Every structure is written in structure tokens, then in C-alpha cells.
Amino acid sequence: MNTLNIGGSQLDTSWFLLLSAILFVLGAVGVLVRRNPLVILISIELMLNAANLTLVTFSRQLQNLDGQLFALMSMTVAAAEAVVGLAILVDIFRTRDVEDVDELSELRG
Amino acid sequence: MAIAVFFVAAAMAVLGGIGVVTFRQPIRSVLSLVLVMLALSVLFLLLSAQFIFAVQIIVYAGAVMVLFLFVIALLGPARELGRGRLRFQTWLSALFVLVLLGLMWSLFQGAHYRQPDKTDMSFFGTVQSIAVGLFTTYLYPFELTSILLLVAAIGAIYLSRKNIDDL
Amino acid sequence: MSNQTLALLILIFPAAGAILLAGRGWRLPRIFTVLVGPGVVWASFVCVLALFAGKAAGDFTYWTWIKSGTFEVPFNLLIDNLSIFMCLVITGVGGLIVSYAVGYMEHEDDPSYARFFCYMDVFIFSMLLLVLAGNFVFLITGWALVGLSSYLLIGFWYQRHSAVVAARKAFVMNVIGDVGMILGTFIVFLDFQSVRFGDVFRALAPRANCQGTQVCAYRFFFDTGSLELAAFLFLVGAVAKSAQLPLHTWLPDAMEGPTPVSALIHAATMVTAGVYLVGRLHPIYDVAVYAHGAVAIVGAVTALFAATIAIVQTDIKRVLAYSTMSQIGYMFLAVGIGAYTAGFFHLLSHAFFKALLFMAAGNVIHAMHDEQDMRKYGGLWNQMRPTSIAFLVGSLSLVGVFPFVGFFSKEQILGAAFSKPDDTVVHFLWFIGFVTALITGFYTGRMWWLSFWGKPSPQRPVEHPHEAPPVMFVPVATLAVLATVGGLLQTKALGFGTDEVSNFLSSAVGPERWEGGGAEIALTLLTMLLAAALFVWAMRMRPWTAYAPWAQRLLERKYYFDEIYDAVFVRPLDWVAGFLQRDVERPVIDAAVVDTGALARWSAGELSLTQSGYFRNYVLVFVVGVVSIAGVLLLVRALT
């Protein structure tokens, strides 16, 4: 039973999941390729959102509320993490005026 | 009708995602992300997650993204220049993420779900049901996340102070 | 105090002395060493006397060293008349020699002085362990420790290159013997499932009277073949330790050690260990007749061989060394034909007169400022009368002149060989012994006349040598007295009189197996007269070597044994060792070790490239990891 009955029509569950996969992969690409730290953080947020979509989809498929609650928690955590990440970013930007994450590579060896 | 809504929202989300990754100016990336979030909230609504739909807009698009915008305002616009130092990074990343996509695709295509639970669908995803879950079964995680937010707030204040003597 | 405690005390005293001297001796004043070194040996002697007087006997087990399944090695001491006899010799004569050494070694500095007596005590302990041990394992332990002590003492003056080389040579040849001993023990254990002497001898007891080529009526669960092999292997050990042919080359070189060492180890005790071994294991040798015969043949041949070489030696200690080799050959001959008590009596008397000879020679060497070449002596009779007399007593005893103890013991052996019934081979061996006795007379005489008679040699290092101080002379005198009256213990060679030694030892090695007759006694007297005649004739000192220079060279080169061994064993092994070091050790083994390190370092270098410091690289690694794991899981799921 792979379809969801939404608003009268039948939608395939896998469409939602595929969409979330694409968004996730896009976010991953962003983290890997972009060099502006802000954009990297944003891409991480994108990945988190994709995960939330998956959670809610499954919740609907299995008609179990746990998925939505988990998504809620995930959102909270994402917010907290964005806050702290940005605070760190601000700190670095203030002292070093860095634009490129590749410049922050002292831990090499 | 629902199908149409779905496809529009999906298209918006994907376009927004591409925008996030490709714009040179960070401000544009942030705004693309906002678009993604709005699209996702519509999708949540389609999936009978009314509370999540609201929270997504209020919290995510309304608070977290605003935070990002403030930071951009604080730090000034920046442009990513040049090709960077790691030359093979781009194509190698593209390769692996495509593989990842393929894996996930095959995973999701072949999924067999168990029998759904018997729930009252008119009650499903409403604020009331979320509240019930949050304050009874998942009370403990709920309290913990509140502490988590407190810790994050303290951390952010501490990390972003201007002088060592402050705070 | 029980016999069991006394027996253990015999061992503990010298061991404690050694430990004390090793730990503290070189820091304390010399008087400490002087008291402890010989003192513990005399203390041991007192314990032995107590056991002797109390007619002690028994197999005392003190603790179990190894116990694994059926293999059990206890620490037990076998006290019977044979072991008491040997202990008397070791501690008695040993005590005299160690006391003598107090004076002889006085020129050493304090640490070396203490070191010397420590080593001497170690030796006494090891030798006592050897003769008291009640099982094969501790016998071999004592055996090996005695070899070690010999090495330490020969190389005592380690700054001398020749001493070090000699010590090493002695040790290597001893080890060859050790291998024989160990292999023999393995065979014994396989046959009897025990290493205790008691168990082995009990199992062999019914066979004790089976001799010669008679087919024995008893059927056994082991065959004589393995016993023969074991007996031959033990013979290898005995030959190495007692410096018999062909493992004899180390003994003359061992004279590099101080004279007390030569007296104690290479005359009175260690070299007699081989004789003790055959005597102790006589139940095995009574059965293994071929090995038993080999003992006798080796002994007789060595006796003759060594006596001929002694004729041309110029170093006084070397003459005595070859003489020792020769006399031990006699002992081997005796125990090899089954005349055990004769062999052990000769062991006792040889201990007396050989130690006497070595110590008297030591007096001379000491007086002549360490000159050992006899050609540079001459005329000492007038200047060192007491020592000369003592030396004469020892010499006459060695030659076998009545009434000294050597006469009685040597003639008993020759008489036993002559009168053994139905054995022509043994009669031929008697003839060899007879000829050797005559040669013994000659070389001993030569030694005495050269050193003590005539005019002082112009090459003398010291014009007026002084007589030895009391501490060095009293032991010599004591042994001279013993050599004179010792014959009274066993006058059997004359066909009548006392029989003390045989009676004493018969409980351990069995009674005398056959009796001699009148012919034997006549031959005894004839041998003595001829030998004494040669002793006197040696004074003429005609350069007989002019007639046969090749003989002179052959003898001086000791029948070229050293050269042969060098070419056959030492050079090839040297080459193999060099080859292995050059072409196996360095390229293969060292390379493996070094290369492992180099490999580790290289791989670390390569791997550290992953620590690029770039955040994006690390994320890429994440993604690669996730993809891999997910891929593997999906693959597994798809296949099953």
C-alpha cells in the first residue's frame, strides 16, 4: 500500500521521498562545494529540512504521530545549532575577516 | 487537485534548493532557502501535519532565516571569488552525491510498508494531538529540548561578545 | 641433627660462602675472605665426616622442582657410600687446596682475591651437587655448573688473552659433553619414565648379573639397544669432562689458570667426574656391555697417548696435566672392566698425590716468580728442601713405587686387568697399561731431575728462591703424609692385608668381581721395578730425540690434534657463521626488522596526507563513508 489518500486523490509516497532525497543531495552538494561559511550553514539547514520532510511523510504513511513529533524536535535542534554556528561564525569573521573556508586550515598534518 | 499542488510545491522546493547552492551572493542563497521552506510547509499541510506546517513558517522561515539575514547584515555582503584551492573537490563531490541519490532512489522505490496504525485521521496532526503526544509520552524529550535551547542561547551570547572583559 | 639436614648443609655451606663473597667480599677487608673462602669448605667437610661416622645412607627428597603429568623432577640427594666417598675427597682435598690458595693468591688485589675464592666456592658447591644428586637432572645441573666454574677459574686472569682463549676452549668442549649427557638422560627417561637414580637402578636390578655375550633370561620392556646408546652418550659426557681422547685438548690449555685451580679442578676433582659417572651409573654399564668396553678402551688408549706426550713437555704444569690425563685413563680402564673399587681407590690416591704435586709445583713457581719452564730450574733440592721432598713423594707415588699409595692403587688396577677371566681384549689393555706405567716412570723422573737436581740453570730468574710460607706448605705436607700412608687403606695389590676401600664402596658399586692370583702379584712387583728403573735412568737425559726428530715433533705437537680439530671443525664453522651473518642476517632478518619500521613510517606519511586541514575534504570523506556503508548494506540485502 504505497499510496496516500490526500484530499481525495491518490499520491504515491515515493514521490515525497524522492523529493526529499533530491533536496538532501542538493544540500550535500552545497556543503561540499561552496566556500562561503554562511552558505555552508544554509546548506546544512536545507539538509535538515529534507530530513524533516521524510519524517512527516512516513508519519503520514504509517499513520503514527511519532514522526511529526520527531520532526518537531529536529526543528528545535536545528534552530539551536544554527544559532551556535552563526555565533562562532561571527566570532571568526570579526577577528580574521575570512571569506573562504579553505583559509581555515591550520589543523593539517 | 492535490497532485497539482504537490507538483507545484515540489518544483518550487527544487528550484529553491538549486538556488541555495548556486547563487554567488549569500543573501540570495538565504532567500532561496526561505522559498524552500515555504514550499515544504505546503507539503507538510498536504501530509496532514497542520501543526508542523505552522511551526515551519513561524519558527524556521520566520526566526531562523531572519537570524541568518541579520548575520549577513552584520558581516556585510561577501562574494565568493576564484576557484578555490581544492581542484578535484567539485567533480568528486558531484560523483558521490549522485551515487548517494541513486542509492536513496533505489531504497525508496522498493520500500514495503507495514500496515498503518489505526488512528482517527480527523484528529491526526492537529494541534491537540501534537500536544497530547508532547506532554504525555514525550514529556522528557520536550523538557530536554527546552534546556537545549537555553544552552544554545547562552553559548551564542558568550561566543559573540566583542571584548574579553564583557560578560 | 638428622642426616637429611646434614646432607643439605654440605651443599649450603659452599653456596653461602660463594654468595657472601660475591656480594660483600670485595668490599670487606681481606681477613673476611680468608676466613670465609676456605672456612665453608671445611665446614662442609665436617658435615661429611658426621655422615661418614654415622654410616648414613638414604635417598632424601627436599622438594619437587618440576611436576608435569608423569614427568617429575625432585630435588633429592642420594647418600650412599659412594657419594660420601666422593664428598670426602672433594671437601677434604678441596679444603687443603683452598687453604693453600690463601697464600698462593696473596699478590692479587682485594676484589680479585674475593672473586677467586667466590669462584672456588661455586666450584665446590657444583662438584658436591654433582656427586650428591639423586637424579639425572641435578646431576647434569652440577655437571654444567662445574664446567662453568672451570671456565671462570681458567680465565681468572682475564686480562691475559691466552687464558681467555683457553677458558673458552674448555667450555666449548665441556658443552659437547653436556649434550651427550642430556641426550642420554632423554633416553633413560623414555625407557624408565623417571629421572631418579633409585627408580632406574631398581628397574635394572634383576639384570645386574648379566654380562658379556650371555643371553639374559629376563625379558624386559626395553631393549639393550637404547641402553647402549644412552651409555655411549653418557660416555661422551664423561670423556669431555675428564679430558679423555678425543675431547682432551682443553686440559693442557687449562693450565693457564692459577695453580690451585689446576690442583683442585684439573687434578683432584672435576676431571674425575667422568669416573664417578660410570661408577654411579654402573647398573646401566653392567648391561650395556659395548659401551662399557668402550670406556675401558678409551681409558687405556688415553693413558698411553698422554704419557707419550708428557715426555717432551717443558712446562712443569703441562707435564702434570698430561700425567693427569694419563692417570684418569687408568681410572676409566678400571671402571670400564668392572673393577669399580680399584678405579675409585686410584681416584682417591690420585687426588692425594696429584694435588700434592701441583701444590708443590705451585710453591716452586711462586718462588721462581711465576716461571714455569723446567729448563730454567735445576738444583732446587739444595735450596727448597722441604718442597723437593714433598715433590719426590708425589712423584714416587705417581710412578707407583712401594710403599706410597700410588703403588697400591695403580697396581690394583693393572692386577684386575691382568687377571680378569676370559677376556683377551682386557688382557691387551693390561699390556697398554703396563707400558704406560713404564713411560710414566720415565717422564716423572725427567721432570724431577730437571727441576730439582743438578746445577741451577743459568737462565734462572731467581738466585735464591725462598721456601714457601706455612700457609702454603702445611697443606702440601699433609698431602705428602697422606700419600705415604694412604696405601695402608687397601693393600690388596699385594695379595693380602687391608681392604677398607673395597669394603666401603661395595655397598654402592657391588663387590669385587674376581680375584687375582700369584702371577698378578709378581707382575705388580715387576712393573714397579721397571718403572722405578726408568725413573732413575731419566737422569741420564740423553738426547734421544736426535735419533728420531719426527717423533719429537709429533709429540710436541700433541699428535697434531689441535691442528686437525681446527681444520675440521673450527674453520668450517667459522665460515658458516660468517656466511650467515653476512648473507642471511643482514639482508634478510635485519632488513625485515628495519623495513617494518620504514614501512610504518612511509604509510604514516602517506596517510597523513588525508589530514589536509580543509573542512570540505572532511565532509567529502563523510559522504564517501555514508555512501559506502549504505551501498554495502543494500548490496547484502539485495543478495540475500
Side-chain angles (χ1 to χ4, degrees), chain B residues 73-140:
Chain B
L74 181 64
L75 299 177
R79 274 176 159 273
E80 231 170 78
L81 304 159
R83 279 184 61 207
R85 295 184 211 172
L86 302 170
R87 252 166 269 147
F88 55 83
Q89 177 87 355
T90 323
W91 60 264
L92 205 59
S93 323
L95 174 69
F96 275 99
V97 295
L98 280 174
V99 173
L100 188 60
L101 184 61
L103 282 175
M104 285 198 271
W105 194 298
S106 66
L107 196 60
F108 292 148
Q109 289 284 47
H112 294 291
Y113 300 103
R114 62 175 166 86
Q115 281 294 99
D117 299 346
K118 298 265 187 289
T119 46
D120 182 6
M121 285 314 287
S122 60
F123 191 60
F124 184 79
T126 57
V127 180
Q128 264 169 307
S129 62
I130 298 283
V132 163
L134 216 48
F135 290 119
T136 55
T137 326
Y138 296 104
L139 179 63
Y140 200 38

Side-chain angles (χ1 to χ4, degrees), chain C residues 19 22 29 37 72 106 128 130 133 136 169 186 247 264 266 281 317 358 396 434 440 444 471 478 518 524 575 583 639:
Chain C
I19 293 173
E72 186 186 330
E106 65 178 358
L128 286 170
L130 200 163
F136 282 92
K169 186 174 180 179
F186 286 168
L247 296 171
L264 180 59
H266 305 124
L281 298 182
K317 281 176 71 173
F358 265 110
L396 291 177
F434 174 72
T440 305
T444 314
V471 73
T478 316
T524 300
W575 180 87
D583 298 326
L639 288 175

Side-chain angles (χ1 to χ4, degrees), chain A residues 31-35 40 101-102 104-109, chain C residues 608-609 611-621 623:
Chain A
V31 172
L32 287 168
V33 175
R34 297 299 298 266
R35 279 172 289 123
I40 292 177
V101 136
D102 285 349
L104 300 171
S105 57
E106 279 91 28
L107 284 178
R108 61 166 67 241
Chain C
S608 72
L609 289 178
Q611 305 282 327
S612 62
Y614 293 123
F615 158 79
R616 296 194 288 145
N617 272 357
Y618 298 160
V619 179
L620 181 58
V621 171
V623 172

Side-chain angles (χ1 to χ4, degrees), chain C residues 542-604:
Chain C
R542 203 106 56 90
W544 58 278
T545 53
Y547 303 122
W550 59 268
Q552 166 96 343
R553 226 174 317 130
L554 182 70
L555 291 177
E556 272 176 359
R557 287 244 159 252
K558 305 159 258 164
Y559 295 87
Y560 295 102
F561 259 91
D562 275 324
E563 287 77 3
I564 295 174
Y565 282 168
D566 189 51
V568 171
F569 293 111
V570 177
R571 296 266 174 79
L573 280 175
D574 230 358
W575 180 87
V576 170
F579 166 75
L580 283 174
Q581 190 197 18
R582 234 186 1 238
D583 298 326
V584 174
E585 167 120 10
R586 253 187 253 132
V588 175
I589 299 177
D590 279 356
V593 169
V594 168
D595 282 352
T596 313
L599 180 70
R601 202 174 301 144
W602 171 83
S603 57

Side-chain angles (χ1 to χ4, degrees), chain B residues 34-106:
Chain B
V34 173
L35 177 63
V36 170
M37 286 180 181
L38 292 176
L40 281 183
S41 60
V42 169
L43 289 169
F44 287 152
L45 198 55
L46 273 181
L47 290 169
S48 318
Q50 304 150 13
F51 184 67
I52 302 294
F53 149 79
V55 167
Q56 171 92 343
I57 294 179
I58 298 172
V59 170
Y60 239 132
V64 176
M65 289 300 112
V66 170
L67 180 60
F68 271 97
L69 285 168
F70 268 112
V71 170
I72 291 177
L74 181 64
L75 299 177
R79 274 176 159 273
E80 231 170 78
L81 304 159
R83 279 184 61 207
R85 295 184 211 172
L86 302 170
R87 252 166 269 147
F88 55 83
Q89 177 87 355
T90 323
W91 60 264
L92 205 59
S93 323
L95 174 69
F96 275 99
V97 295
L98 280 174
V99 173
L100 188 60
L101 184 61
L103 282 175
M104 285 198 271
W105 194 298
S106 66

